[in-house]
Amino acid sequence: MSDSSTVQGMSESSRVRRIEAVVLVLIFLLLAVATVADVRQRVNNDHRLLADLNTWRAVSGHEYHNLSIEQNKDGRGTREVVCGNTAPGAPKVHVRLCLIMSGPTHDVRRAAHGGYYLPPLLDDVRTHRYACFGSAKRSQLCGEAAPATRKVSVTERLDPGGPRSAKRG
């Protein structure tokens, strides 16, 4: 009897080991597939962003490298906004051209479906955008008024009250 119970114990033990091995292989396969999918998504994302930069440079005619890219934060879709100065200089010190890119990449470029301009030193929010075109105009992404034609100094932008506010206090 003891021999048959030992044999039965071994077969039960080997069955448990087989099940454990199958579970481990399935977990390994799941992790491998998830890793490959993540790497693929990152490579596609990097390729798309490079195409966006190339498209902005081709459309604007400027070979600037200090461009900003705003990506979808929800992770769905492939819409990005690329902004860069319209004249040489540090970021945001000149009027910026912002292009809306979407769709697939073709020959290291993507389609620019619209865009808008931003005044110097101001953040990219609806009220600051002007001269919308294409999809930006159709989606009403721009504020109502165009920027003032008067030039505003950097210090005036950083301290809107300027020297007058110091005299008041």
Side-chain angles (χ1 to χ4, degrees):
M1 263 239 238
S2 70
D3 288 339
S4 70
S5 67
T6 307
V7 171
Q8 190 178 20
M10 285 183 172
S11 65
E12 202 173 301
S13 171
S14 63
R15 192 177 328 147
V16 169
R17 285 187 189 146
R18 281 190 217 128
I19 291 171
E20 288 174 344
V22 168
V23 168
L24 286 174
V25 167
L26 290 175
I27 290 172
F28 170 78
L29 288 174
L30 178 67
L31 289 173
V33 167
T35 301
V36 168
D38 186 51
V39 169
R40 181 174 178 250
Q41 181 183 12
R42 288 177 189 266
V43 167
N44 286 343
N45 189 45
D46 290 347
H47 189 254
R48 192 176 69 243
L49 295 177
L50 180 62
D52 290 345
L53 296 174
N54 288 333
T55 302
W56 189 94
R57 290 179 186 124
V59 170
S60 70
H62 299 295
E63 287 296 318
Y64 302 149
H65 295 279
N66 221 350
L67 304 173
S68 66
I69 300 177
E70 181 183 321
Q71 291 183 272
N72 273 350
K73 297 197 175 30
D74 60 9
R76 292 177 283 149
T78 59
R79 180 186 175 273
E80 281 88 27
V81 177
V82 181
C83 296
N85 286 342
T86 56
K92 294 187 174 185
V93 297
H94 297 288
V95 170
R96 286 168 285 155
L97 168 63
C98 297
L99 297 176
I100 299 170
M101 314 285 183
S102 62
T105 301
H106 296 290
D107 298 325
V108 297
R109 291 206 184 135
R110 287 206 316 159
H113 295 284
Y116 48 86
Y117 289 88
L118 287 171
L121 305 173
L122 296 179
D123 291 329
D124 186 357
V125 293
R126 185 179 186 276
T127 54
H128 297 156
R129 299 174 189 147
Y130 67 97
C132 273
F133 56 92
S135 64
K137 187 173 187 174
R138 287 189 300 277
S139 301
Q140 299 178 343
L141 295 181
C142 286
E144 301 274 328
T149 54
R150 169 178 91 77
K151 288 192 176 188
V152 178
S153 71
V154 172
T155 53
E156 200 173 356
R157 284 281 185 220
L158 296 176
D159 180 17
R164 289 174 287 180
S165 63
K167 289 177 187 174
R168 283 186 222 152

